[in-house]
Amino acid sequence: MTILQDTLIISVSQIVFFAGGWVFFMKQLFKDYEVHHRLVQLIFSITFALSCTMFELIIFEILGILEASSRLLHWKIGLYAMLFTLIFLLPFYIGYFILSNIRFVKQNVLKLLSVAAWLFFMYLFWKIGDPFPILSPKYGIFSIEQGISRVGVIGVTLMALLSGFGAVNYPYTSMTYFMRPVTPSDTQCLEKKVLQTVDMIIMKKKRIALAEREKLLQPGSGSQGSVIWNMLKSVTTSQYGSSENVSQLKQEVAALEELSRQLFLEAVDMHTMQERIEWSKTLKGKYFNFLGYFFSLYCIWKIFISTVNIVFDRVGKVDPVTRGIEIAVNYMGINFDVKFWSQHISFILVGVIVVTSIRGLLITLTKFFYAISSTKSSNIIVLALAQIMGMYFVSSVLLMRMNMPPEYRSIITQVLGELQFNFYHRWFDVIFLVSALSSIGFLYLAHKQVPERDPF
């Protein structure tokens, strides 16, 4: 009876998570598109539900909700379902939709080619594990460990790339220190330049049209054509002085159109920067500005500690909660119930990590989708984002193990198997360091280039 109750709790929560993924798909990703492919929407929502269920089971493990045997059972069911989705379902349909957009691929061979594309993916997916010391050799081909170990490499790489970029980009976009000073008069002056450039383009295009009409209305045998020609020639000469060089005018128009595009983009940047400056003066803007300083310190600390871990081949053995309790007890002389506070602080820490991970990834996926999607490619991109999301969350569970006290790590270790957990933490540090330093260099160059792009 207890197992049935536990299964009911998990099932209801999965329905809620599935509905959340469905609403996010409709209201965020596809709100500007009329065509909704139900299969794509279904797969995306299933992946989102399975991802959230893994985080839910971690929280249940900390709080002691459900029977231990039920949690273990649902862990295995959830991981097998997630691996089936990530390794079989999503790659097959990504290949199917890519091939279906190719004109010369006929429908009668589409499924066969999709299977061939999936087999090619499986070959690459399997070979990706060869260079890395990720698994004990005793596990079989179809074990959870074989799938999780390879998904973990890809997912941890994605996590580290996003984390490194986010740790640098967030302070850059939220702190007033990096905002370019822009006044309303600057924006108005630039808008006038845009209008002046457009007027010059229109004037030169009129001159081109008149010059081309001259050629069409050259005097022929009829007297009427001669009269029209003389009238047009006199008007053109009175306005512009002499016959026009059409090729030169076209070159000038092309140059002015390019200048107008640059001025327009600069005007958009100025409006955006002006809005950011006004927003930074609000209470919410000041709060995010403070968070920017905090994350700047975090980024510096994370880069330093990642460098130390790489140089000295070091992996933390103690989770932050246990380390904090040890400092409080040994150095500050505070007496409190270690087990009680360890459970509650772990719950809060994991909850914060879960919420920020889900929110941050969904925001990133939405921006990425709007940046590159189109009517034909939107289904492919959504499936690719679902693949990234699933791998990201599986890797989050793998790395989150280090943020939990030893008594709560056991079931994750038991479910995931004897993976080389230390390798994933070192790999995360390496990719994070490369991503953060590259982001710093890129944003530094972009920030320095802003004054040079100023059209004044």
Side-chain angles (χ1 to χ4, degrees):
M1 188 65 180
T2 305
I3 295 179
L4 292 177
Q5 292 176 349
D6 295 346
T7 303
L8 180 62
I9 293 172
I10 295 294
S11 300
V12 171
S13 62
Q14 285 183 330
I15 293 173
V16 173
F17 296 145
F18 180 87
W22 190 278
V23 171
F24 175 78
F25 184 95
M26 294 290 290
K27 300 298 183 182
Q28 288 295 120
L29 289 184
F30 265 58
K31 65 180 181 179
D32 296 328
Y33 294 85
E34 295 181 357
V35 180
H36 301 153
H37 201 292
R38 293 297 179 186
L39 180 62
V40 174
Q41 190 173 358
L42 183 66
I43 295 175
F44 181 89
S45 302
I46 289 173
T47 307
F48 182 80
L50 291 173
S51 302
C52 293
T53 302
M54 290 191 297
F55 288 136
E56 180 188 41
L57 288 171
I58 291 178
I59 294 175
F60 283 178
E61 184 68 25
I62 295 173
L63 298 180
I65 300 175
L66 307 184
E67 293 289 332
S69 58
S70 296
R71 291 197 300 268
L72 181 61
L73 174 63
H74 289 293
W75 263 115
K76 290 186 176 180
I77 293 174
L79 283 174
Y80 271 118
M82 178 60 82
L83 290 177
F84 174 79
T85 304
L86 296 178
I87 300 175
F88 296 92
L89 192 63
L90 281 168
F92 174 81
Y93 278 106
I94 290 173
Y96 176 85
F97 282 108
I98 290 175
L99 293 170
S100 64
N101 286 335
I102 301 176
R103 293 182 179 179
F104 59 83
V105 176
K106 298 181 179 179
Q107 289 294 324
N108 55 354
V109 297
L110 181 58
K111 292 183 179 179
L112 184 62
L113 291 176
S114 300
V115 172
W118 175 78
L119 290 174
F120 179 70
F121 164 81
M122 283 298 298
Y123 173 78
L124 296 179
F125 179 76
W126 189 263
K127 296 299 290 183
I128 201 172
D130 291 349
F132 302 103
I134 55 179
L135 189 63
S136 174
K138 67 179 182 180
Y139 292 106
I141 296 177
F142 298 103
S143 62
I144 286 181
E145 292 79 9
Q146 292 284 4
I148 292 293
S149 61
R150 287 162 172 78
V151 169
V153 171
I154 303 173
V156 168
T157 304
L158 292 172
M159 282 185 66
L161 288 172
L162 292 175
S163 299
F165 176 75
V168 175
N169 185 62
Y170 182 84
Y172 179 76
T173 55
S174 63
M175 293 171 61
T176 56
Y177 177 80
F178 296 106
M179 293 182 184
R180 181 161 56 111
V182 176
T183 62
S185 60
D186 294 335
T187 306
Q188 292 174 3
C189 185
L190 185 58
E191 289 174 348
K192 289 180 181 179
K193 281 186 171 291
V194 174
L195 294 176
Q196 290 172 359
T197 307
V198 172
D199 289 339
M200 291 176 64
I201 293 172
I202 294 173
M203 183 184 68
K204 288 183 181 293
K205 284 188 174 181
K206 285 182 179 179
R207 292 168 62 181
I208 293 172
L210 289 171
E212 290 178 344
R213 188 175 294 180
E214 282 185 23
K215 295 179 180 179
L216 294 175
L217 297 177
Q218 288 180 356
S221 59
S223 60
Q224 185 177 2
S226 179
V227 171
I228 295 174
W229 160 253
N230 291 328
M231 290 175 60
L232 180 62
K233 187 174 182 181
S234 63
V235 172
T236 305
T237 305
S238 64
Q239 287 183 346
Y240 305 118
S242 60
S243 299
E244 300 287 352
N245 187 339
V246 176
S247 61
Q248 181 179 352
L249 283 173
K250 288 183 177 180
Q251 292 177 1
E252 292 175 359
V253 168
L256 286 171
E257 286 178 340
E258 178 62 28
L259 176 62
S260 67
R261 281 191 290 269
Q262 294 178 2
L263 290 173
F264 177 77
L265 292 174
E266 183 66 21
V268 172
D269 290 341
M270 275 195 171
H271 276 288
T272 303
M273 187 60 65
Q274 196 171 345
E275 291 174 357
R276 284 182 59 189
I277 292 172
E278 293 298 324
W279 176 79
S280 67
K281 297 177 182 178
T282 63
L283 183 62
K284 187 176 181 180
K286 293 178 180 179
Y287 168 72
F288 278 96
N289 182 51
F290 171 77
L291 285 183
Y293 285 101
F294 172 78
F295 277 101
S296 297
L297 296 175
Y298 167 78
C299 180
I300 294 171
W301 174 82
K302 187 65 179 176
I303 290 174
F304 170 76
I305 203 68
S306 297
T307 305
V308 171
N309 291 340
I310 294 169
V311 172
F312 295 100
D313 194 18
R314 187 176 70 100
V315 175
K317 302 295 183 182
V318 182
D319 63 285
V321 175
T322 303
R323 175 66 68 186
I325 292 174
E326 288 178 353
I327 293 173
V329 172
N330 297 329
Y331 297 100
M332 302 177 64
I334 300 175
N335 294 321
F336 55 87
D337 189 341
V338 175
K339 184 177 181 180
F340 174 82
W341 285 107
S342 174
Q343 181 186 33
H344 285 73
I345 296 174
S346 297
F347 167 70
I348 294 172
L349 178 64
V350 171
V352 170
I353 294 173
V354 168
V355 172
T356 54
S357 296
I358 294 175
R359 179 181 178 275
L361 183 64
L362 292 181
I363 291 174
T364 304
L365 294 184
T366 303
K367 292 179 180 178
F368 185 74
F369 177 79
Y370 284 141
I372 66 173
S373 63
S374 64
T375 305
K376 291 185 177 181
S377 65
S378 58
N379 290 325
I380 301 170
I381 295 171
V382 168
L383 291 176
L385 295 182
Q387 182 88 4
I388 293 172
M389 178 175 64
M391 291 184 172
Y392 180 95
F393 287 142
V394 168
S395 302
S396 296
V397 172
L398 195 152
L399 293 179
M400 200 181 295
R401 173 182 171 274
M402 188 59 68
N403 293 317
M404 301 168 63
E407 60 268 23
Y408 303 129
R409 298 182 191 176
S410 58
I411 192 166
I412 297 180
T413 305
Q414 184 179 357
V415 171
L416 298 181
E418 296 180 11
L419 299 180
Q420 302 296 327
F421 292 101
N422 290 345
F423 160 76
Y424 292 103
H425 288 279
R426 286 195 298 269
W427 183 247
F428 180 90
D429 288 335
V430 171
I431 302 300
F432 176 89
L433 186 62
V434 172
S435 176
L437 295 178
S438 301
S439 300
I440 290 173
F442 174 78
L443 291 177
Y444 174 79
L445 293 176
H447 188 76
K448 287 296 183 183
Q449 288 297 320
V450 169
E452 295 179 10
R453 290 171 53 220
D454 197 328
F456 301 119

